[in-house]
Amino acid sequence: MKILNLKISLQDNKKVKMYLYYLLMPLFLLITSKLSITPDMSWISAYILIGGANSIAFSWINGHVKLFKIHKEYFWTYTFILLLTSILIPIEYRLFGLYGLPVFFGVLAVTALMGRETGITAAITLSTIASVVSNGNFEIFAMYAIGSIGSISLTKSFDKRIDFSKAALWNSLISIAMLFTMRFGFSPFELRAKSLFLVGINPFASMFLSLGVLPYIEYVSRIYSNIGLIELGNLGHPLLKQLLVKAPGTYFHSVMLSNMCESAAQRIGANYVLSRIGPYFHDIGKIKRPEFFSENQQGVNPHDSISPMMNYLIVASHVKYGEELSRSFRLPLLVEDMIKEHHGTRMVSFFYQKALSENLKVSPDDFRYSGPTPRTKEAGITMLADSCEAAVRSLKSPSLYKIQNMVEDVVNKIYNERQLDDSSLTLRDTDQIVEEFSKVLFAMHKKRIEYPKTTEEVEKVIKVAKM
Ligand SMILES: [Fe+2]
Ligand SMILES: [Fe+2]
């Protein structure tokens, strides 16, 4: 019944999106572009142009960008940025003319939050609006589209503020070169100089605007750029401070995981910033009842005095509580996913076996985590790292060979349980992940490190790790 309801609501949501994208949004974009004075172009041709570009972009996103299917916030945020840019277009047109339109503002904001490919679709829609503003001038479309797409393609990553500056510089150079070749020789010198100046400075103005607006969009949408993620992962977050004090063993485990996931993500080409920051928070729910988790126990095991079912409920509740915390602290959506998905729908087999040994009538499904299974590569890596780290910790004298065998067994087991089906991880990816995990775990276990039990011990280990 639940599945049926979910399907119906998803279909409704899809219909709303369709109406919005194919009908209302082109109409809105048309009105805002018409406000920029276009006496020659008819409304119908402008509508066809903008509607066509917008529909093609939307269909492509719908088919190719998985995150738009997972979180509705991606759709709304993308739409909001496009509408905001289209509102700014007539204002800037009246202030600066055709060469001062803020197309790059929208493109940069979408790229930083949702990736390069989605940024390219935004560039096509927004450049079409710019061309409508200029009475269907193809040169204007080409200048904005090639300037924006070229610059974000030439910028390797958007992890630092300097990357934004580099992208603006590329855009400025490309746009000047294009204007120079397209218009040179046709206009009087003063006009050329003014146009070249505007075209050169416009990408920088757009960059400043997008850097200023991004933190607000991140807070409201919980979709974070890599810059926002890096700020979040400086270990000064109040939740991480609480974790360090209340559950030092879990804190140390999370730092280990962060190293493993970052290196694996880098190897397979996933988002390594998200893979470094997300694992810090994956077990944040353990700050409630930390003594029930082996890494924080000092001799006394509170599990011994209660029933297997109750034990299972307590252990599984760290996922639900972590989810609640991530909502109330407005952690990024993708970090919340890692919290929810790092155990997938796996079974807490220890307590299931214990229940069987006590002759209780139980089924494996009574002892499963609530899931869902990982839906992104980064969440899949976190799930694998979590189990591998725990398994390797139990090895008596870990050699590289033993570690690699153990990691391979764990990864194969999870793969065969079909927990990675929705994660987009391929077999080739998992092979490379095994290699990276083994390297990192071996480096960490070279000198057998005892799990630190106090805050001071953890701080000592982190200090050594930073050296
Ligand atoms: Fe966990
Ligand atoms: Fe964990």
Side-chain angles (χ1 to χ4, degrees), residues 21 25 53-54 56-69 71-82 85 103-127 145 148-149 152-153 158 223-224 334:
Y21 250 78
M25 204 165 146
N54 201 43
I56 292 168
F58 177 60
S59 307
W60 188 88
I61 289 174
N62 242 2
H64 292 84
V65 188
K66 195 177 177 184
L67 288 172
F68 275 71
K69 286 180 195 156
H71 293 293
K72 59 183 184 314
E73 287 83 351
Y74 275 76
F75 170 80
W76 291 112
T77 307
Y78 178 82
T79 307
F80 170 75
I81 294 172
L82 245 60
T85 315
V103 168
F104 195 49
F105 155 71
V107 176
L108 205 50
V110 169
T111 306
L113 295 172
M114 301 168 188
R116 200 170 272 128
E117 292 174 334
T118 317
I120 290 173
T121 63
I124 291 167
T125 307
L126 292 172
S127 305
S148 309
I149 296 171
I152 57 170
S153 308
F158 288 88
I223 298 170
Y224 274 62
L334 298 183

Side-chain angles (χ1 to χ4, degrees), residues 282-401:
H282 82 287
D283 271 339
I284 203 71
K286 289 185 182 174
I287 55 179
K288 196 179 184 181
R289 305 193 195 99
E291 68 282 5
F292 277 88
F293 300 91
S294 62
E295 66 268 23
N296 301 313
Q297 285 166 3
Q298 293 173 298
V300 188
N301 186 351
H303 285 297
D304 295 341
S305 51
I306 46 180
S307 72
M309 193 41 121
M310 192 51 97
N311 275 324
Y312 151 76
L313 288 172
I314 291 172
V315 167
S317 72
H318 84 273
V319 174
K320 276 272 164 270
Y321 186 56
E323 200 183 324
E324 280 169 30
L325 283 175
S326 78
R327 276 197 201 125
S328 53
F329 279 80
R330 301 201 68 75
L331 292 183
L333 288 171
L334 298 183
V335 173
E336 186 185 319
D337 284 351
M338 284 182 176
I339 296 172
K340 282 194 295 195
E341 296 164 11
H342 75 278
H343 291 292
T345 50
R346 299 194 78 200
M347 200 175 57
V348 189
S349 53
F350 180 79
F351 295 120
Y352 172 63
Q353 295 300 340
K354 207 168 174 213
L356 286 183
S357 71
E358 290 175 14
N359 294 325
L360 298 171
K361 270 193 177 170
V362 285
S363 100
D365 289 342
D366 299 336
F367 287 82
R368 285 191 188 282
Y369 284 100
S370 53
T373 55
R375 292 172 293 175
T376 56
K377 285 189 177 185
E378 293 78 9
I381 295 172
T382 310
M383 170 188 255
L384 294 173
D386 192 41
S387 298
C388 290
E389 198 277 324
V392 168
R393 202 193 313 153
S394 67
L395 284 175
K396 284 278 177 283
S397 46
S399 63
L400 182 60
Y401 177 75

Side-chain angles (χ1 to χ4, degrees), residues 3-20:
I3 293 169
L4 196 71
N5 282 342
L6 185 72
K7 266 189 182 166
I8 289 169
S9 70
L10 276 177
Q11 273 170 1
D12 291 348
N13 201 7
K14 219 175 167 184
K15 253 187 190 170
V16 172
K17 281 181 184 176
M18 291 291 186
Y19 282 130
L20 197 83

